[in-house]
Amino acid sequence: MSSLELLTPVCHAIAALFPGQVEVVLHDLKSQRIAVLVNAMSPRKPGDDSLTDIGDFQANLTADDTIGPYLKSNSDGAKLRSVSALIRDDTGAPAALLCMNLRVDALEAAKNLLAQLTSTAQDINDSAFIKNDWREVTNAIIAATLKELKISFNQLRRSERQVIVSRLLAADVFAARGSADFVAEALGISRASLYSLIKQCRASAAPAERA
């Protein structure tokens, strides 16, 4: 079985994974014609001349027999991100060139949308509405501290909980009614353990205040 026959189902599998988004072209380097074309994005068809597509491909070939990724434009003006792989025969001679062209216009639109949503979320988080909600402040302080200490919630020890409690005290979270219950649950400890941490934090802060 030839390399082209072996690669035909691979071409269809790649195209099936990205329906309508990836064009897969298998060029027969011996005949210089397109052997397989799936998810066609241009007026080409199997049997067409390959020379306009592949040109002097060996000039851009890397040590691992690949080219790209590189950007190019489709016939309809769409941006494509492409990558190619050289297929060699049993003797090591170039036999085929497998090219995959991904449409990036939809991805760029999604990227822009996510950027807008992220920006909106940041604006909301910085708003007075969120800052005045002590529950949101508590969650934000816990999340920021975990990120800063590079640990997960399940890795929290008493020393890390003390850091969080000291920051909650500085943010005046415990002035709110019901905050002790909320914080104790958020930290996965009992109210007694929380009050012990608060007492310890205040005792540690007292010498500094007197100084």
Side-chain angles (χ1 to χ4, degrees):
M1 185 176 291
S2 69
S3 299
L4 298 179
E5 292 174 313
L6 288 171
L7 287 170
T8 296
V10 175
C11 294
H12 286 278
I14 295 171
L17 186 61
F18 303 96
Q21 299 302 315
V22 174
E23 177 186 62
V24 184
V25 190
L26 183 62
H27 298 278
D28 183 348
L29 296 181
K30 295 181 180 178
S31 67
Q32 296 291 316
R33 296 195 175 278
I34 296 175
V36 179
L37 177 60
V38 191
N39 268 353
M41 296 181 184
S42 62
R44 298 175 298 173
K45 61 183 183 300
D48 283 356
D49 196 329
S50 292
L51 291 178
T52 56
D53 285 333
I54 62 177
D56 183 17
F57 69 89
Q58 296 198 52
N60 299 307
L61 199 64
T62 62
D64 61 358
D65 277 350
T66 61
I67 304 172
Y70 53 92
L71 295 176
K72 67 179 187 178
S73 297
N74 194 37
S75 58
D76 61 359
K79 292 181 181 179
L80 301 176
R81 181 176 173 84
S82 305
V83 65
S84 300
L86 177 64
I87 311 301
R88 299 181 183 274
D89 61 20
D90 294 338
T91 67
L97 191 68
L98 176 62
C99 300
M100 290 158 283
N101 305 311
L102 171 68
R103 295 184 71 103
V104 297
D105 44 0
L107 294 176
E108 288 183 344
K111 176 184 176 182
N112 293 334
L113 176 59
L114 288 173
Q116 293 175 11
L117 292 174
T118 302
S119 175
T120 301
Q122 185 62 43
D123 292 342
I124 292 175
N125 286 334
D126 290 339
S127 70
F129 174 76
I130 294 299
K131 289 181 178 179
N132 290 333
D133 188 334
W134 59 267
R135 295 176 182 81
E136 290 289 345
V137 172
T138 298
N139 291 333
I141 289 175
I142 293 174
T145 305
L146 290 174
K147 183 177 180 180
E148 178 185 329
L149 298 177
K150 297 180 180 179
I151 59 175
S152 67
F153 182 82
N154 293 332
Q155 295 174 308
L156 272 177
R157 296 170 299 182
R158 182 179 177 85
S159 57
E160 287 91 16
R161 288 189 175 92
Q162 185 176 348
V163 173
I164 293 173
V165 170
S166 66
R167 293 178 178 181
L168 294 176
L169 281 168
D172 204 26
V173 166
F174 294 107
R177 179 179 298 178
S179 58
D181 290 332
F182 182 86
V183 172
E185 184 175 354
L187 293 179
I189 57 178
S190 65
R191 280 171 56 97
S193 296
L194 174 62
Y195 286 131
S196 175
L197 286 172
I198 292 174
K199 182 178 179 180
Q200 187 175 351
C201 290
R202 285 174 174 164
S204 300
E209 291 175 357
R210 287 197 295 268

